[in-house]
Amino acid sequence: MRRAIGLAARGHGGTSPNPVVGCVVLDASGQVAGEGFHAYAGGPHAEVVALREAGERARGGTAYVTLEPCDHTGRTGPCSGALISAGVARVVVAVTDPNPLAAGGVDRLRRSGVEVETGVLAEEAERVNAAWLTFIRRRRPFVTWKFAATLDGRSAAADGTSKWITSPEARADVHRLRAEGDAVIAGIGTVIADDPQLTARVPGDAARRPLRVVVDSAARTPASARVLAGEEPALVAVADDADVPAHLGHAVRLPRAPGGIDLHALMAELHGRQIVSALLEGGPTLAGSFLREGLVDRVVGYIAPALLGTGPAALGPAGVTTIGEILRLEFEEVTPIGPDLRLVLRPAPPKES
C-alpha cells in the first residue's frame, strides 16, 4: 500500500478534478505483477493501468489501491468491474470514496465474491489525496497559503520593495507550486503594488494554466494589469454592490463581508468551477482573512537567511487577540531550496479538552 501511495503522488498536477490514485497488483504468489497511477483526467484509472501490466497474472491475486475503486461509468468504465473481470481474488483499499457519484465499488466487489479489506494506511493515503478529499467533503478548494519572508518575518522593506527577498531557486519552486494547482489567488493590494502575472512558468509544462483569481471588492483592478493579459484564464471577484468599470464587465459579483468580499462565497464559486486546489498568494491582509475564516489547509513558507528589522509582516490580522487563540501548525517538511528554506506545514488538529 505504501508503494501505491507513492505512485498516487505522481499524479499531482494532472488529474484535477479527479483524485490521485495509485494501485499495485500482486499475483497469486504475492509477487508484484503490475502497478499504475491515474496520470490525467480522462485517462485510464490506476487500477486499469496496473491490470493491463499484470495481464493474466492478476487472476487469483491481490490489488492494493489507495482509493475505493469507482463503480460508475464516466469518461472511463468502472474500476470495480475491471477488477472483477481480471479475476482478482482480494482487494485492499486505503480510503473509501466519499463521492456518492463514484462510491459503491467495495460493495460490488464483495457481492461478486472478492475479499475486500479497507482502511489500510488510510491516514497516509488521505494526506496524498488531501486536495481532492477537501474538495468533495467540504465542497470547496483545498487552499495552500504561500509566503516568502526574511528570517524576522518581513515580506518587504519599509519602503515597500520586495524584489527579491528569496533566491531564484525558491522563485522557480513557486512556479512549480502554481502548476500543481487549479487556481492562484491574489488580493487587489498585491495586484496594484506588484502587478504580477500569476502564471505558472515551468519549463516543459506549458499546458498548465491555473485560473488567476483577483479578490477585488471595490473593482479597482486596472485595465493594464498583467493579470488580465495573456492566454491564461482570469477571474476578478468583486462585491455585489461595487461600481464595475467596463474592462471588468465579466467580473463575478459576490456578497460583501466586513473588510471585503465573503470568502466562503468565493470558495463556493471556485468549487462550482471545478477548482480542486488553489494557491493563495495574496498579501498579508488577504492571508489573514483566509486564516481567520478557517480556509487555509496548508502553509508553504520560503524563508530567506536575511533580516530587515522593519517593513510589512508576512501575515496581517488573523483573528488572534490572545495567546489562547494562537493558530498552531505542524511541520510536514523542511527542505533547503538554494540558500533558503522551504517550510511545509498544516494546521494542527484541535486539542482534546
Side-chain angles (χ1 to χ4, degrees), residues 246-258:
H247 70 274
L248 296 180
H250 296 295
V252 173
R253 292 181 178 270
L254 297 172
R256 182 177 289 280

Side-chain angles (χ1 to χ4, degrees), residues 19-345:
V20 295
V21 183
C23 179
V24 175
V25 175
L26 308 183
D27 63 18
S29 67
Q31 300 301 307
V32 174
E35 59 183 33
F37 67 96
H38 185 41
Y40 59 94
H45 290 188
E47 298 94 322
V48 172
V49 175
L51 289 170
R52 285 176 181 170
E53 185 175 297
E56 280 301 310
R57 293 179 64 196
R59 191 163 301 279
T62 300
Y64 287 81
V65 60
T66 57
L67 184 68
E68 178 181 2
C70 65
D71 196 46
H72 80 300
T73 299
R75 283 184 282 186
T76 61
C79 292
S80 55
L83 290 162
I84 294 166
S85 297
V88 170
R90 179 170 175 256
V91 175
V92 181
V93 174
V95 180
T96 55
D97 196 332
N99 184 359
L101 294 177
V106 164
D107 290 340
R108 182 177 178 185
L109 289 166
R110 285 176 172 154
R111 289 195 305 268
S112 299
V114 178
E115 179 187 348
V116 179
E117 181 180 356
T118 62
V120 175
L121 295 186
E123 186 175 342
E124 291 183 35
E126 289 218 1
R127 182 147 292 184
V128 80
N129 216 4
W132 183 81
L133 290 169
T134 297
F135 177 77
I136 295 296
R137 291 170 176 167
R138 301 186 183 181
R139 300 189 62 78
R140 66 165 177 83
F142 178 92
V143 176
T144 296
W145 170 45
K146 184 279 298 181
F147 72 93
T150 58
L151 193 60
D152 55 340
R154 306 293 177 176
S155 61
D159 65 355
T161 56
S162 60
K163 296 183 178 180
W164 295 101
I165 285 176
T166 53
S167 64
E169 294 91 338
R171 299 197 296 276
D173 198 63
V174 170
H175 284 284
R176 177 194 60 81
L177 264 185
R178 289 178 180 173
E180 285 186 354
D182 301 316
V184 180
I185 304 173
I188 183 59
T190 297
V191 169
I192 290 176
D194 299 335
D195 194 21
Q197 290 178 279
L198 298 181
T199 52
R201 299 185 290 279
V202 179
D205 198 14
R208 287 297 294 165
R209 293 178 177 176
L211 176 68
R212 299 175 292 174
V213 180
V214 180
V215 181
D216 180 11
S217 61
R220 294 189 294 144
T221 302
S224 60
R226 294 199 300 168
V227 75
L228 300 181
E231 297 180 358
E232 291 81 359
L235 181 152
V236 179
V238 304
D240 51 11
D241 57 355
D243 185 10
V244 179
H247 70 274
L248 296 180
H250 296 295
V252 173
R253 292 181 178 270
L254 297 172
R256 182 177 289 280
I261 65 170
D262 185 329
L263 295 181
H264 293 277
L266 174 62
M267 292 293 97
E269 175 70 26
L270 295 180
H271 181 274
R273 292 171 179 256
Q274 297 290 288
I275 301 298
V276 173
S277 61
L279 184 66
L280 173 63
E281 292 200 46
T285 301
L286 188 61
S289 297
F290 266 80
L291 282 161
R292 185 171 58 249
E293 296 298 321
L295 294 174
V296 172
D297 304 292
R298 182 175 66 159
V299 177
V300 178
Y302 295 88
I303 307 301
L307 301 169
L308 279 171
T310 59
L315 179 63
V320 177
T321 58
T322 179
I323 197 66
E325 300 170 343
I326 192 169
L327 302 173
R328 295 197 180 275
L329 307 171
E330 292 182 346
F331 279 105
E332 277 198 354
E333 176 191 322
V334 179
T335 306
I337 300 288
D340 307 317
L341 280 181
R342 181 182 65 207
L343 312 178
V344 180
L345 310 99

